[in-house]
Amino acid sequence: MKPPEQRDTPERQQPDASLESERARADSELLRRRFAIELAADAVVALARERADSLLTRERADADQRQRQAALSSQERARVRSERAEADGRLQQERTVADAELEREREERRRSIAPRRRSPRASTSRASCRCSRTW
């Protein structure tokens, strides 16, 4: 049998419930903030990609105009189209890899919070206390 000071009393259970509730609110706020940060980061990436795509489109239009003025042969124009297609493929592949890496990192951060939410009292329970006092 547990000594009287170690029994789960209503007085002991009330602070425990209060701490668990506070931890749940704190975790919820952390997740909300993280989600807001991720949304802002996604918007920044999307804007940067839009700007890069716009710049690429303008540069290609200028290059096309120069090609028409230079009267390139059909073989040279085909080579340019092929090079552009390869570059577009590499660009898309890089974006896909970057997106996957970003999602993997975000998932790791989400999982790092999960253990704290599953066991909120683990670090404050009397059983895990490392102080010299005996309960």
Side-chain angles (χ1 to χ4, degrees):
M1 179 175 203
K2 291 182 181 179
E5 64 273 2
Q6 287 187 354
R7 292 187 189 137
D8 288 333
T9 63
E11 296 82 18
R12 172 83 176 140
Q13 290 173 355
Q14 184 178 4
D16 289 347
S18 176
L19 286 172
E20 287 177 20
S21 174
E22 181 59 31
R23 286 185 183 119
R25 283 193 300 275
D27 284 348
S28 177
E29 180 62 17
L30 285 172
L31 290 173
R32 186 193 66 76
R33 288 180 184 179
R34 176 166 290 140
F35 183 70
I37 289 168
E38 288 177 2
L39 283 178
D42 289 345
V44 168
V45 169
L47 179 60
R49 286 180 176 179
E50 286 175 22
R51 289 178 178 169
D53 290 344
S54 178
L55 176 63
L56 181 62
T57 300
R58 284 193 311 271
E59 290 296 322
R60 285 187 173 176
D62 291 347
D64 289 344
Q65 181 63 30
R66 287 191 301 274
Q67 285 179 6
R68 283 190 291 278
Q69 291 172 349
L72 294 178
S73 71
S74 61
Q75 189 176 26
E76 290 170 325
R77 285 192 302 274
R79 181 185 52 79
V80 169
R81 280 193 303 274
S82 175
E83 288 174 359
R84 285 182 179 181
E86 287 176 23
D88 289 346
R90 287 191 305 271
L91 175 64
Q92 185 57 46
Q93 183 179 7
E94 285 294 321
R95 286 180 175 181
T96 300
V97 168
D99 289 345
E101 178 66 19
L102 177 61
E103 187 54 37
R104 186 189 61 74
E105 289 173 5
R106 286 178 176 176
E107 185 57 33
E108 283 179 14
R109 283 192 298 270
R110 285 182 204 114
R111 276 187 266 136
S112 73
I113 286 183
R116 285 185 273 156
R117 287 188 286 154
R118 275 188 239 117
S119 178
R121 286 193 53 209
S123 63
T124 60
S125 69
R126 289 181 178 176
S128 66
C129 181
R130 294 190 178 139
C131 62
S132 59
R133 183 174 175 182
T134 351
W135 300 100

